[in-house]
Short mmCIF file of all heavy atoms in Angstrom, two decimals:
data_model
loop_
_atom_site.label_atom_id
_atom_site.label_comp_id
_atom_site.label_asym_id
_atom_site.label_seq_id
_atom_site.Cartn_x
_atom_site.Cartn_y
_atom_site.Cartn_z
N THR A 300 -11.03 -6.20 -43.52
CA THR A 300 -11.23 -5.71 -42.07
C THR A 300 -10.69 -4.28 -41.96
O THR A 300 -9.58 -4.00 -42.43
CB THR A 300 -10.43 -6.73 -41.24
OG1 THR A 300 -10.84 -8.03 -41.45
CG2 THR A 300 -10.63 -6.33 -39.78
N VAL A 301 -11.52 -3.45 -41.23
CA VAL A 301 -11.08 -2.09 -40.96
C VAL A 301 -10.46 -2.11 -39.57
O VAL A 301 -11.02 -2.53 -38.58
CB VAL A 301 -12.25 -1.15 -40.95
CG1 VAL A 301 -11.83 0.26 -40.58
CG2 VAL A 301 -12.90 -1.09 -42.30
N VAL A 302 -9.18 -1.72 -39.49
CA VAL A 302 -8.46 -1.74 -38.19
C VAL A 302 -8.03 -0.28 -37.81
O VAL A 302 -7.90 0.54 -38.68
CB VAL A 302 -7.27 -2.68 -38.23
CG1 VAL A 302 -7.72 -4.11 -38.54
CG2 VAL A 302 -6.27 -2.14 -39.27
N VAL A 303 -7.75 -0.15 -36.56
CA VAL A 303 -7.11 1.09 -36.06
C VAL A 303 -5.71 0.65 -35.61
O VAL A 303 -5.56 -0.20 -34.80
CB VAL A 303 -7.89 1.78 -34.91
CG1 VAL A 303 -8.12 0.84 -33.79
CG2 VAL A 303 -7.19 3.02 -34.44
N GLY A 304 -4.70 1.38 -36.07
CA GLY A 304 -3.33 0.89 -35.82
C GLY A 304 -2.43 1.96 -35.23
O GLY A 304 -2.67 3.21 -35.47
N SER A 305 -1.50 1.50 -34.48
CA SER A 305 -0.48 2.33 -33.90
C SER A 305 0.89 1.84 -34.14
O SER A 305 1.09 0.62 -33.96
CB SER A 305 -0.69 2.58 -32.40
OG SER A 305 -1.91 3.21 -32.10
N VAL A 306 1.80 2.62 -34.61
CA VAL A 306 3.24 2.12 -34.90
C VAL A 306 4.19 2.92 -34.07
O VAL A 306 4.14 4.20 -34.06
CB VAL A 306 3.47 2.24 -36.41
CG1 VAL A 306 4.84 1.62 -36.72
CG2 VAL A 306 2.39 1.58 -37.25
N THR A 307 5.08 2.20 -33.35
CA THR A 307 6.03 2.94 -32.41
C THR A 307 7.45 2.46 -32.69
O THR A 307 7.64 1.28 -32.82
CB THR A 307 5.59 2.57 -30.97
OG1 THR A 307 4.26 2.95 -30.77
CG2 THR A 307 6.47 3.38 -30.01
N PRO A 308 8.33 3.44 -32.75
CA PRO A 308 9.80 2.94 -32.97
C PRO A 308 10.31 2.40 -31.69
O PRO A 308 9.93 2.90 -30.54
CB PRO A 308 10.46 4.24 -33.33
CG PRO A 308 9.65 5.36 -32.74
CD PRO A 308 8.27 4.86 -32.78
N ILE A 309 11.17 1.36 -31.72
CA ILE A 309 11.80 0.83 -30.62
C ILE A 309 13.23 1.31 -30.54
O ILE A 309 14.00 1.16 -31.48
CB ILE A 309 11.86 -0.70 -30.59
CG1 ILE A 309 10.42 -1.26 -30.77
CG2 ILE A 309 12.51 -1.25 -29.34
CD1 ILE A 309 10.40 -2.76 -31.05
N LYS A 310 13.57 2.10 -29.51
CA LYS A 310 14.85 2.81 -29.45
C LYS A 310 15.66 2.31 -28.25
O LYS A 310 15.20 1.98 -27.15
CB LYS A 310 14.64 4.30 -29.31
CG LYS A 310 14.00 4.95 -30.50
CD LYS A 310 13.88 6.50 -30.33
CE LYS A 310 13.34 7.10 -31.57
NZ LYS A 310 13.16 8.59 -31.47
N LEU A 311 16.96 2.25 -28.51
CA LEU A 311 17.87 1.83 -27.50
C LEU A 311 19.13 2.76 -27.54
O LEU A 311 19.82 2.95 -28.54
CB LEU A 311 18.45 0.37 -27.71
CG LEU A 311 19.40 -0.24 -26.65
CD1 LEU A 311 18.66 -0.32 -25.33
CD2 LEU A 311 19.84 -1.57 -27.11
N ASP A 312 19.25 3.51 -26.46
CA ASP A 312 20.34 4.62 -26.37
C ASP A 312 20.17 5.57 -27.52
O ASP A 312 21.14 5.98 -28.14
CB ASP A 312 21.75 3.92 -26.39
CG ASP A 312 22.00 2.99 -25.25
OD1 ASP A 312 21.44 3.33 -24.15
OD2 ASP A 312 22.77 2.08 -25.31
N GLY A 313 18.89 5.90 -27.82
CA GLY A 313 18.66 6.83 -28.80
C GLY A 313 18.71 6.36 -30.22
O GLY A 313 18.30 7.16 -31.19
N GLU A 314 19.03 5.12 -30.47
CA GLU A 314 19.13 4.56 -31.80
C GLU A 314 17.91 3.69 -32.08
O GLU A 314 17.51 2.79 -31.23
CB GLU A 314 20.46 3.76 -32.00
CG GLU A 314 20.62 3.26 -33.35
CD GLU A 314 21.94 2.45 -33.47
OE1 GLU A 314 22.81 2.61 -32.55
OE2 GLU A 314 22.13 1.77 -34.45
N ILE A 315 17.32 3.75 -33.26
CA ILE A 315 16.12 2.90 -33.66
C ILE A 315 16.76 1.50 -33.82
O ILE A 315 17.54 1.23 -34.66
CB ILE A 315 15.44 3.42 -34.90
CG1 ILE A 315 14.95 4.78 -34.61
CG2 ILE A 315 14.40 2.47 -35.28
CD1 ILE A 315 14.39 5.44 -35.87
N VAL A 316 16.18 0.47 -33.07
CA VAL A 316 16.55 -0.85 -33.24
C VAL A 316 15.37 -1.76 -33.75
O VAL A 316 15.51 -2.97 -33.90
CB VAL A 316 17.04 -1.45 -31.88
CG1 VAL A 316 18.33 -0.73 -31.51
CG2 VAL A 316 16.02 -1.29 -30.83
N GLY A 317 14.27 -1.09 -33.98
CA GLY A 317 13.11 -1.85 -34.49
C GLY A 317 11.86 -1.02 -34.50
O GLY A 317 11.82 0.13 -34.12
N VAL A 318 10.80 -1.67 -34.85
CA VAL A 318 9.38 -1.03 -34.90
C VAL A 318 8.41 -1.99 -34.31
O VAL A 318 8.45 -3.15 -34.71
CB VAL A 318 9.03 -0.63 -36.34
CG1 VAL A 318 7.66 -0.25 -36.43
CG2 VAL A 318 9.91 0.63 -36.78
N LEU A 319 7.48 -1.45 -33.53
CA LEU A 319 6.33 -2.24 -33.01
C LEU A 319 5.04 -1.72 -33.65
O LEU A 319 4.77 -0.48 -33.54
CB LEU A 319 6.28 -2.20 -31.52
CG LEU A 319 4.97 -2.70 -30.86
CD1 LEU A 319 4.90 -4.22 -31.03
CD2 LEU A 319 4.94 -2.34 -29.39
N SER A 320 4.26 -2.58 -34.28
CA SER A 320 3.01 -2.21 -34.86
C SER A 320 1.89 -3.06 -34.14
O SER A 320 1.92 -4.22 -34.07
CB SER A 320 3.02 -2.55 -36.38
OG SER A 320 1.77 -2.36 -36.92
N ILE A 321 0.86 -2.28 -33.71
CA ILE A 321 -0.32 -2.93 -33.06
C ILE A 321 -1.57 -2.48 -33.84
O ILE A 321 -1.77 -1.26 -34.05
CB ILE A 321 -0.34 -2.48 -31.61
CG1 ILE A 321 0.88 -2.92 -30.86
CG2 ILE A 321 -1.58 -3.20 -30.93
CD1 ILE A 321 0.99 -2.53 -29.34
N ILE A 322 -2.39 -3.46 -34.20
CA ILE A 322 -3.64 -3.12 -34.85
C ILE A 322 -4.80 -3.79 -34.07
O ILE A 322 -4.64 -4.79 -33.45
CB ILE A 322 -3.66 -3.64 -36.28
CG1 ILE A 322 -3.47 -5.07 -36.44
CG2 ILE A 322 -2.65 -2.86 -37.08
CD1 ILE A 322 -3.58 -5.68 -37.80
N LYS A 323 -5.94 -3.12 -34.13
CA LYS A 323 -7.20 -3.66 -33.43
C LYS A 323 -8.31 -3.44 -34.38
O LYS A 323 -8.42 -2.45 -35.06
CB LYS A 323 -7.32 -2.82 -32.12
CG LYS A 323 -8.49 -3.37 -31.33
CD LYS A 323 -8.67 -2.41 -30.09
CE LYS A 323 -7.61 -2.53 -29.08
NZ LYS A 323 -7.70 -3.82 -28.38
N ASP A 324 -9.24 -4.50 -34.34
CA ASP A 324 -10.47 -4.42 -35.02
C ASP A 324 -11.28 -3.26 -34.62
O ASP A 324 -11.57 -3.09 -33.45
CB ASP A 324 -11.23 -5.73 -34.84
CG ASP A 324 -12.36 -5.89 -35.84
OD1 ASP A 324 -12.90 -4.85 -36.32
OD2 ASP A 324 -12.85 -7.00 -36.09
N LEU A 325 -11.68 -2.42 -35.57
CA LEU A 325 -12.40 -1.10 -35.16
C LEU A 325 -13.68 -1.42 -34.53
O LEU A 325 -14.07 -0.70 -33.57
CB LEU A 325 -12.54 -0.22 -36.42
CG LEU A 325 -13.03 1.20 -36.16
CD1 LEU A 325 -12.04 1.94 -35.27
CD2 LEU A 325 -13.27 1.95 -37.45
N SER A 326 -14.36 -2.47 -34.93
CA SER A 326 -15.66 -2.79 -34.32
C SER A 326 -15.48 -3.14 -32.83
O SER A 326 -16.27 -2.80 -31.91
CB SER A 326 -16.32 -3.91 -35.04
OG SER A 326 -15.51 -5.11 -34.98
N GLU A 327 -14.31 -3.88 -32.51
CA GLU A 327 -14.07 -4.14 -31.11
C GLU A 327 -13.79 -2.89 -30.34
O GLU A 327 -14.13 -2.72 -29.17
CB GLU A 327 -12.85 -5.11 -31.06
CG GLU A 327 -13.15 -6.52 -31.50
CD GLU A 327 -11.98 -7.39 -31.28
OE1 GLU A 327 -11.06 -7.02 -30.58
OE2 GLU A 327 -12.03 -8.59 -31.83
N VAL A 328 -13.08 -1.96 -30.93
CA VAL A 328 -12.75 -0.69 -30.25
C VAL A 328 -14.09 0.09 -29.93
O VAL A 328 -14.17 0.61 -28.76
CB VAL A 328 -11.88 0.22 -31.13
CG1 VAL A 328 -11.71 1.59 -30.53
CG2 VAL A 328 -10.49 -0.47 -31.48
N GLN A 329 -14.98 0.05 -30.77
CA GLN A 329 -16.27 0.73 -30.48
C GLN A 329 -17.00 0.09 -29.36
O GLN A 329 -17.57 0.74 -28.47
CB GLN A 329 -17.18 0.77 -31.69
CG GLN A 329 -16.49 1.64 -32.89
CD GLN A 329 -17.22 1.47 -34.15
OE1 GLN A 329 -17.94 0.43 -34.44
NE2 GLN A 329 -17.08 2.41 -35.11
N ILE A 330 -16.96 -1.29 -29.34
CA ILE A 330 -17.70 -2.05 -28.30
C ILE A 330 -16.98 -1.70 -26.90
O ILE A 330 -17.61 -1.49 -25.96
CB ILE A 330 -17.68 -3.50 -28.58
CG1 ILE A 330 -18.54 -3.78 -29.79
CG2 ILE A 330 -18.08 -4.36 -27.36
CD1 ILE A 330 -18.38 -5.23 -30.32
N LEU A 331 -15.56 -1.78 -26.97
CA LEU A 331 -14.81 -1.52 -25.72
C LEU A 331 -15.07 -0.12 -25.20
O LEU A 331 -15.14 0.15 -24.02
CB LEU A 331 -13.37 -1.76 -25.97
CG LEU A 331 -12.90 -3.21 -26.21
CD1 LEU A 331 -11.43 -3.27 -26.58
CD2 LEU A 331 -13.09 -3.93 -24.92
N THR A 332 -15.19 0.85 -26.14
CA THR A 332 -15.39 2.25 -25.76
C THR A 332 -16.71 2.35 -25.02
O THR A 332 -16.84 2.98 -23.95
CB THR A 332 -15.43 3.19 -26.95
OG1 THR A 332 -14.14 3.01 -27.64
CG2 THR A 332 -15.68 4.63 -26.51
N GLU A 333 -17.76 1.72 -25.59
CA GLU A 333 -19.09 1.73 -24.90
C GLU A 333 -19.00 1.05 -23.57
O GLU A 333 -19.55 1.51 -22.53
CB GLU A 333 -20.12 0.99 -25.76
CG GLU A 333 -20.42 1.78 -27.05
CD GLU A 333 -21.31 0.95 -27.94
OE1 GLU A 333 -21.79 -0.09 -27.58
OE2 GLU A 333 -21.62 1.41 -29.15
N MET A 334 -18.19 -0.05 -23.51
CA MET A 334 -18.10 -0.72 -22.20
C MET A 334 -17.37 0.11 -21.15
O MET A 334 -17.78 0.12 -19.97
CB MET A 334 -17.36 -2.05 -22.38
CG MET A 334 -18.16 -3.13 -23.08
SD MET A 334 -17.14 -4.64 -23.46
CE MET A 334 -16.81 -5.19 -21.84
N VAL A 335 -16.29 0.73 -21.56
CA VAL A 335 -15.54 1.62 -20.64
C VAL A 335 -16.44 2.74 -20.17
O VAL A 335 -16.40 3.13 -19.00
CB VAL A 335 -14.30 2.15 -21.46
CG1 VAL A 335 -13.69 3.25 -20.58
CG2 VAL A 335 -13.31 1.07 -21.61
N ASN A 336 -17.24 3.28 -21.04
CA ASN A 336 -18.12 4.43 -20.65
C ASN A 336 -19.08 3.87 -19.61
O ASN A 336 -19.41 4.54 -18.59
CB ASN A 336 -18.76 5.02 -21.84
CG ASN A 336 -17.97 5.73 -22.70
OD1 ASN A 336 -16.91 6.23 -22.30
ND2 ASN A 336 -18.36 5.91 -24.01
N GLU A 337 -19.68 2.69 -19.84
CA GLU A 337 -20.58 2.10 -18.87
C GLU A 337 -19.97 1.79 -17.57
O GLU A 337 -20.53 2.12 -16.54
CB GLU A 337 -21.19 0.85 -19.51
CG GLU A 337 -22.28 0.31 -18.68
CD GLU A 337 -22.90 -0.99 -19.31
OE1 GLU A 337 -22.65 -1.22 -20.52
OE2 GLU A 337 -23.66 -1.79 -18.61
N ILE A 338 -18.75 1.20 -17.64
CA ILE A 338 -18.03 0.86 -16.38
C ILE A 338 -17.66 2.14 -15.62
O ILE A 338 -17.83 2.16 -14.39
CB ILE A 338 -16.84 -0.02 -16.69
CG1 ILE A 338 -17.21 -1.36 -17.28
CG2 ILE A 338 -15.92 -0.14 -15.50
CD1 ILE A 338 -16.21 -2.21 -17.81
N SER A 339 -17.25 3.18 -16.39
CA SER A 339 -16.86 4.43 -15.63
C SER A 339 -18.04 5.07 -14.93
O SER A 339 -17.92 5.56 -13.81
CB SER A 339 -16.33 5.40 -16.73
OG SER A 339 -15.14 4.93 -17.34
N ALA A 340 -19.18 4.98 -15.59
CA ALA A 340 -20.41 5.49 -14.96
C ALA A 340 -20.75 4.73 -13.73
O ALA A 340 -21.10 5.27 -12.64
CB ALA A 340 -21.56 5.47 -16.03
N LYS A 341 -20.67 3.36 -13.87
CA LYS A 341 -20.96 2.49 -12.63
C LYS A 341 -19.87 2.75 -11.53
O LYS A 341 -20.28 2.86 -10.31
CB LYS A 341 -20.92 1.10 -13.09
CG LYS A 341 -22.05 0.59 -13.90
CD LYS A 341 -21.99 -0.84 -14.21
CE LYS A 341 -23.14 -1.35 -15.03
NZ LYS A 341 -23.02 -2.82 -15.42
N ALA A 342 -18.58 2.90 -11.87
CA ALA A 342 -17.59 3.19 -10.88
C ALA A 342 -17.80 4.45 -10.22
O ALA A 342 -17.72 4.55 -8.98
CB ALA A 342 -16.22 3.15 -11.57
N GLU A 343 -18.20 5.44 -10.92
CA GLU A 343 -18.47 6.78 -10.34
C GLU A 343 -19.63 6.73 -9.39
O GLU A 343 -19.64 7.32 -8.27
CB GLU A 343 -18.81 7.77 -11.47
CG GLU A 343 -18.93 9.22 -10.94
CD GLU A 343 -19.11 10.18 -12.11
OE1 GLU A 343 -18.96 9.80 -13.30
OE2 GLU A 343 -19.51 11.38 -11.84
N TYR A 344 -20.67 5.89 -9.81
CA TYR A 344 -21.86 5.79 -8.91
C TYR A 344 -21.48 4.94 -7.66
O TYR A 344 -21.79 5.43 -6.52
CB TYR A 344 -22.92 5.03 -9.69
CG TYR A 344 -24.06 4.53 -8.77
CD1 TYR A 344 -25.01 5.40 -8.24
CD2 TYR A 344 -24.13 3.25 -8.43
CE1 TYR A 344 -26.05 4.95 -7.42
CE2 TYR A 344 -25.14 2.71 -7.58
CZ TYR A 344 -26.08 3.61 -7.09
OH TYR A 344 -27.09 3.18 -6.24
N LEU A 345 -20.71 3.89 -7.82
CA LEU A 345 -20.29 3.10 -6.70
C LEU A 345 -19.37 3.86 -5.75
O LEU A 345 -19.51 3.68 -4.58
CB LEU A 345 -19.66 1.75 -7.19
CG LEU A 345 -20.61 0.78 -7.86
CD1 LEU A 345 -19.78 -0.36 -8.48
CD2 LEU A 345 -21.71 0.30 -6.96
N GLU A 346 -18.52 4.71 -6.27
CA GLU A 346 -17.66 5.44 -5.50
C GLU A 346 -18.51 6.45 -4.60
O GLU A 346 -18.15 6.59 -3.43
CB GLU A 346 -16.62 6.22 -6.36
CG GLU A 346 -15.58 7.00 -5.63
CD GLU A 346 -14.68 7.77 -6.49
OE1 GLU A 346 -14.79 7.68 -7.67
OE2 GLU A 346 -13.84 8.46 -5.94
N GLY A 347 -19.50 7.03 -5.22
CA GLY A 347 -20.33 7.86 -4.46
C GLY A 347 -21.14 7.11 -3.32
O GLY A 347 -21.22 7.57 -2.24
N GLU A 348 -21.57 5.89 -3.72
CA GLU A 348 -22.33 5.10 -2.75
C GLU A 348 -21.38 4.63 -1.63
O GLU A 348 -21.78 4.65 -0.46
CB GLU A 348 -22.92 3.85 -3.46
CG GLU A 348 -24.15 4.10 -4.26
CD GLU A 348 -25.30 4.55 -3.36
OE1 GLU A 348 -25.72 3.86 -2.53
OE2 GLU A 348 -25.75 5.71 -3.54
#
Side-chain angles (χ1 to χ4, degrees):
T300 305
V301 179
V302 298
V303 57
S305 297
V306 185
T307 306
I309 303 170
K310 294 183 178 181
L311 185 63
D312 296 331
E314 183 180 348
I315 299 174
V316 295
V318 166
L319 169 66
S320 174
I321 300 176
I322 59 175
K323 184 186 289 290
D324 190 336
L325 189 59
S326 59
E327 289 186 9
V328 175
Q329 293 170 339
I330 293 170
L331 287 173
T332 302
E333 292 174 4
M334 289 175 63
V335 168
N336 291 338
E337 183 179 347
I338 291 170
S339 298
K341 287 181 179 178
E343 187 177 347
Y344 167 75
L345 291 173
E346 186 179 358
E348 283 298 298

